[in-house]
Amino acid sequence: MLGETVITHDEIQRAVAVLAREIDADLEGREPVFICVLKGAVYFFTALTQRIRHPVVVDFIQASSYGATTESSGTVTLIKDVTVDIAGKDIYVVEDIVDTGLTLADVVALLQARHPRSVQVVALLSKPSRRKVQVRLDFVGFEIEDRFVVGFGLDFAERFRNLPEIREFVPDGEATP
Ligand code: IMP
């Protein structure tokens, strides 16, 4: 069931504006390709890239998701690859949330193998206490505690992505009385 609001829509928009300014300042002299990690990052990705003033190339990648549970399987498979040539380019991987870090570590390794000039990571949310592998996050909107959240792109079993805010989600049977 849906729980309390963790981050309001206004708070998200303000954080996105701050991140866009920081990233814009970083873009001077670069050839940026912004890669959205589908599906969860899509709302964050469109909000962020529209606020960036430098011209950027956008592309999309999709790795496997949790399915209908709130725990990572730890095995990441590529469902959709990027279509642009990223060799020599400055990559900004845009993620919704970094939890164990397993998905991101795999995505970054896959992209690094294609010899981009640089790879940086932009994440709307991070749950540092859940990390299983160390991944460098260059731009982060919010650090949150260990709770499962939905909304603004984040889902539980494909539901709740279109919520404008980020809310806690407690799977049935786990709710405290
Ligand atoms: P990781 O591989 O454990 O870091 O998980 C990354 C992916 O798991 C994210 O891109 C999300 O799709 C999903 N995920 C992790 N935590 C949450 C959450 O709290 N709500 C919804 N999806 C999550």
Side-chain angles (χ1 to χ4, degrees):
M1 55 178 268
L2 277 179
E4 63 172 349
T5 297
V6 179
I7 307 170
T8 67
H9 186 72
D10 279 356
E11 287 168 337
I12 297 169
Q13 295 303 326
R14 281 199 291 275
V16 168
V18 171
L19 286 174
R21 272 199 300 277
E22 288 173 10
I23 294 168
D24 245 335
D26 188 60
L27 285 179
E28 205 54 58
R30 294 197 194 254
E31 283 189 67
V33 179
F34 279 66
I35 298 179
C36 173
V37 184
L38 294 170
K39 300 177 192 172
V42 77
Y43 291 75
F44 175 45
F45 186 79
T46 56
L48 181 75
T49 51
Q50 282 181 92
R51 284 181 179 270
I52 288 172
R53 300 271 61 98
H54 281 79
V56 303
V57 170
V58 300
D59 207 339
F60 301 86
I61 198 167
Q62 188 169 10
S64 66
S65 72
Y66 287 8
T69 77
T70 58
E71 283 294 315
S72 174
S73 64
T75 328
V76 176
T77 46
L78 191 64
I79 297 166
K80 189 221 168 291
D81 203 348
V82 294
T83 57
V84 298
D85 181 6
I86 62 167
K89 300 289 193 295
D90 296 292
I91 307 305
Y92 293 77
V93 179
V94 181
E95 257 286 23
D96 52 356
I97 186 164
V98 182
D99 186 33
T100 63
L102 292 167
T103 309
L104 184 61
D106 274 20
V107 168
V108 168
L110 184 132
L111 296 172
Q112 289 281 18
R114 294 163 185 183
H115 310 293
R117 184 159 70 177
S118 64
V119 178
Q120 296 194 80
V121 175
V122 190
L124 178 60
L125 303 173
S126 172
K127 287 189 214 170
S129 66
R130 296 259 310 164
R131 215 67 98 238
K132 287 186 182 157
V133 288
Q134 283 317 310
V135 277
R136 197 192 69 237
L137 306 185
D138 301 279
F139 303 92
V140 180
F142 302 91
E143 288 197 345
I144 61 168
E145 55 190 65
D146 179 11
R147 64 216 292 214
F148 197 83
V149 290
V150 295
F152 207 75
L154 292 153
D155 74 310
F156 173 74
E158 295 299 331
R159 295 168 61 211
F160 309 115
R161 290 194 197 277
N162 61 316
L163 284 175
E165 72 279 0
I166 291 172
R167 293 177 64 170
E168 182 161 25
F169 179 80
V170 185
D172 286 341
E174 289 181 28
T176 42

